[in-house]
Amino acid sequence: MSLRIVVTVKYVPDATGDRHFADDLTVDRDDVDGLLSELDEYAVEQALQIAENADDAEVTVLTVGPEDAKDALRKALSMGADKAIHVEDDDLHGTDAIGTSLVLAKAIEKAGYDLVISGMASTDGTMGVVPALVAERLGVPQVTLLSEVSVEDGTVKGRRDGDAASEQLEASLPAVVSVTDQSGEARYPSFKGIMAAKKKPVESWDLSDLDIEAEEVGLDGAFTKVETATERPARTAGTIVKDEGEGGKQLAEFLASQKFI
C-alpha cells in the first residue's frame, strides 16, 4: 500500500520586501512579492527523501491561501512533489492559526494521509503551533521540531535537538511531524522538474468542499486579533567615531552606554 505523505506549505510575503499591515490590520499581501516559505522547503525535502526510500509513496503538497499561493505549490511540485491541493476562499481572509489548523485538518482528511510533514514555523507569523494544532484535530501523534526524520515499518522516527541534549522520538503512523532548518538542505528545482511541474495535477477546494462554515474562519472566527500596529520608525543616521587615537575608548564608552557591555 502506498505511503501517503501530505506536506503543508505556506505562501508568505518576501522577507526582503517592504511589508506592512492593511487597513484591517492583517498583513498586506498585495503590495509585496510572495514565495514559498523557506522553512517549508525543508519539509518538502524531507518528504521527498522519505518517498525516495519507500517502496511506494506519493507526496501531496497542500496550501491555504489566495490565488497567488499557487506559486508556492508550483515550487514544491518542481522540487519533485507528485500533486498539489490549493484551498482558496474569500472568507478565509484574516484566518488565524487556530482557524488555519481547522482548514488544514479537514483538507488532509479529505485528501487521505499516512504522514503529514510541516516546517517548524512560517516565516511571516513564526508561531510554530500549527503542526501541533493539526495533530490534535486529526487525533494522531505529533513528533515536532525534528532535525532528522525517517519512516520504517509503519513508524516515523526522528531526532529533536535541544540546547543541552538530543532526543530520539518515534510514533506510529498516521502522525504529524515538523522539521527544522537543520534537517537537510532543500534541493533546487531542476529545469526538468520545472517543466514536469506544469503537468502535475493541482486541485482547488473551497470551504464548502471541506464542510466548513464561513463563521468558523476569517477575521470574525479568529481567536486572536491585532488591536493596534505602529510602523517601525525610519532608521536614523548612526554615530560616526573619528579615530584619532581615542577610537577604541569612544567605542567602549558607546557600547557601555547602550548596556551592550
Side-chain angles (χ1 to χ4, degrees), residues 18 35 48 75 119 143 159 162 179 183 196 200 204 215 233 241 254:
D18 183 18
L35 71 172
L48 295 175
K75 173 71 177 290
V143 187
R159 188 187 77 243
V179 297
S183 58
K200 293 178 179 179
S204 295
E215 295 78 15
V241 176
F254 172 77

Side-chain angles (χ1 to χ4, degrees), residues 8-30:
T8 62
V9 300
K10 189 175 184 182
Y11 180 74
V12 300
D14 188 343
T16 63
D18 183 18
R19 297 173 294 172
H20 55 274
F21 287 113
D23 292 339
D24 61 1
L25 295 180
T26 61
V27 176
D28 188 340
R29 300 179 184 275
D30 296 328

Side-chain angles (χ1 to χ4, degrees), residues 72-231:
L73 295 177
R74 292 190 187 98
K75 173 71 177 290
L77 290 173
S78 67
M79 290 173 67
D82 298 299
K83 62 180 183 179
I85 299 170
H86 180 203
V87 181
E88 180 187 7
D89 198 299
D90 290 342
D91 288 323
L92 285 167
H93 174 72
T95 301
D96 64 358
I98 295 177
T100 298
S101 71
L102 171 65
V103 178
L104 288 173
K106 291 280 192 178
I108 290 165
E109 286 180 325
K110 182 178 174 68
Y113 73 101
D114 298 298
L115 178 65
V116 179
I117 305 180
S118 302
M120 61 188 289
S122 63
T123 54
D124 55 352
T126 64
M127 294 184 69
V129 298
V130 170
L133 293 172
V134 169
E136 176 67 19
R137 291 189 183 277
L138 293 174
V140 299
Q142 56 167 304
V143 187
T144 53
L145 302 176
L146 300 181
S147 301
E148 185 179 273
V149 61
S150 63
V151 172
E152 185 178 353
D153 298 328
T155 300
V156 59
K157 300 179 181 180
R159 188 187 77 243
R160 179 190 293 156
D161 296 325
D163 293 336
S166 293
E167 301 172 283
Q168 295 293 334
L169 306 171
E170 64 178 59
S172 58
L173 298 179
V176 173
V177 305
S178 69
V179 297
T180 72
D181 54 356
Q182 301 301 309
S183 58
E185 197 69 30
R187 67 192 67 185
Y188 288 102
S190 64
F191 177 75
K192 181 179 179 181
I194 293 171
M195 298 305 294
K198 297 179 179 180
K199 299 180 180 180
K200 293 178 179 179
V202 179
E203 293 189 60
S204 295
W205 296 343
D206 59 19
L207 291 179
S208 64
D209 292 315
L210 303 177
D211 295 323
I212 298 174
E213 299 295 330
E215 295 78 15
E216 297 178 85
V217 294
L219 281 174
D220 291 339
F223 284 73
T224 57
K225 182 180 180 182
V226 177
E227 295 286 353
T228 60
T230 304
E231 284 194 28

